[in-house]
């Protein structure tokens, strides 16, 4: 695998019982690249994203992040699943932002951001507080450090969630429809933070319905349907001149 590749998926398959959700997904994401995954609900986008950090285990194929097989150790040509503690340690280098913000309601914004730094990375609390405040400033919430999630808007909560992921200094960020649970007028503030992240060189894989964001920020765009990659390429090409009828049909409904 080339050193410039951050994520490599080869023939990834995943089933839930008789439901074959991912049917041989093969793709690569380079360092510093922003890849957007688009497609109808149920096409396998979120499942694939969760496979990248082993929240879902794959049934077939091979998935690597930064040259390391995700969730498994290879020994004598065979793959052995990592212990939960080992998988969690591996996962700590991959930030993930969900549709729901998943903040701890009993913690302030700052406490949410630094919880992983203190508990998992064992960083000195004073240093964590300093870094946490800087991260809240970065996402435009420097004045909300002492606020609890219940007193923040959905957009603000999602920006706290992004800051919390960044606190772990990830090499890769995964976003699973991060704006889908937000009121329309709050979407822009979250997308602005994601644009800044992209400009800073963060490698990102984003499941999204925000076609404007995909067109403006993504380096590559992947259209998935029914568990397969139907079409992939530069956003301007896929959105402006789709080659497959299924892509054309989908885009005609969302653009």
């Amino acid at each position: 695998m080339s050193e410039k590749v951050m994520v490599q998926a080869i023939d990834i398959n995943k089933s839930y019982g008789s439901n074959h959700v991912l049917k041989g997904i093969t793709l690569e994401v380079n360092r510093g690249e922003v890849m957007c995954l688009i497609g109808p609900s149920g096409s396998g986008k979120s499942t694939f994203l969760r496979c990248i950090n082993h929240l879902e285990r794959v049934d077939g194929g091979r998935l690597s992040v930064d040259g390391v097989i995700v969730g498994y150790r290879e020994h004598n040509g065979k793959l052995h699943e990592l212990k939960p503690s080992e998988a969690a340690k591996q996962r700590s280098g991959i930030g993930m932002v969900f549709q729901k913000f998943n903040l701890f309601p009993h913690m302030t914004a700052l406490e949410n951001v630094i919880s992983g730094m203190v508990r998992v990375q064992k960083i000195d609390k004073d240093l964590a507080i300093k870094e946490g405040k800087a991260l809240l400033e970065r996402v435009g919430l420097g004045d909300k450090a002492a606020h609890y999630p219940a007193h923040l808007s959905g957009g603000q909560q999602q920006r706290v969630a992004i800051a919390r992921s960044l606190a772990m200094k990830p090499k890769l960020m995964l976003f699973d429809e991060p704006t889908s649970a937000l009121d329309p007028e709050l979407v822009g503030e979250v997308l602005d933070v994601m644009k800044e992240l992209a400009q800073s060189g963060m490698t990102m894989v984003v499941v999204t319905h925000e076609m404007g964001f995909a067109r403006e920020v993504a380096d590559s765009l992947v259209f998935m349907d029914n568990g397969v990659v139907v079409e992939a390429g530069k956003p301007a090409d896929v959105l402006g001149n789709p080659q497959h009828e299924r892509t054309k049909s989908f885009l005609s409904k969302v653009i």
Side-chain angles (χ1 to χ4, degrees), residues 84-98:
S85 60
E86 294 173 317
K89 185 177 180 180
Q90 187 184 67
R91 193 180 292 124
S92 69
I94 304 172
M96 185 153 185
V97 178
F98 301 87

Side-chain angles (χ1 to χ4, degrees), residues 29-41:
V29 184
N30 290 328
R31 295 180 191 278
E33 178 182 349
V34 178
M35 174 180 283
C36 282
L37 306 179
I38 65 171
S41 297

Side-chain angles (χ1 to χ4, degrees), residues 58-72:
V58 301
D59 297 324
R62 178 174 295 221
L63 227 168
S64 301
V65 171
D66 201 17
V68 178
I69 300 170
V70 173
Y72 295 87

Side-chain angles (χ1 to χ4, degrees), residues 2 19 48 55 60 70-71 90 94 101 127-128 134 145 155 162 169 177 181 187 195 214 235:
S2 167
N19 184 15
F48 175 66
L55 287 176
V70 173
Q90 187 184 67
I94 304 172
F101 322 122
L127 177 60
I162 292 172
K169 296 182 171 59
E177 298 189 26
V187 168
K195 289 175 188 175

Side-chain angles (χ1 to χ4, degrees), residues 99-151:
Q99 296 179 36
K100 303 292 187 216
F101 322 122
N102 294 344
L103 298 179
F104 297 115
H106 62 288
M107 292 184 181
T108 64
L110 180 60
E111 288 167 344
N112 267 281
V113 170
I114 70 171
S115 60
M117 300 164 73
V118 174
R119 294 179 181 182
V120 179
Q121 296 182 325
K122 308 301 182 186
I123 292 174
D124 175 76
K125 190 170 183 180
D126 288 341
L127 177 60
I129 288 172
K130 183 179 178 181
E131 291 188 11
K133 287 180 175 178
L135 284 167
L136 286 173
E137 287 282 355
R138 182 176 179 183
V139 299
L141 294 173
D143 60 338
K144 304 293 186 185
H147 286 57
Y148 289 91
H151 300 137

Side-chain angles (χ1 to χ4, degrees), residues 155 158-159 162 178-179 182 186-194:
Q158 192 61 293
R159 285 186 280 156
I162 292 172
T179 60
L182 300 178
L186 302 178
V187 168
E189 64 191 54
V190 174
L191 294 181
D192 285 344
V193 170
M194 293 171 64

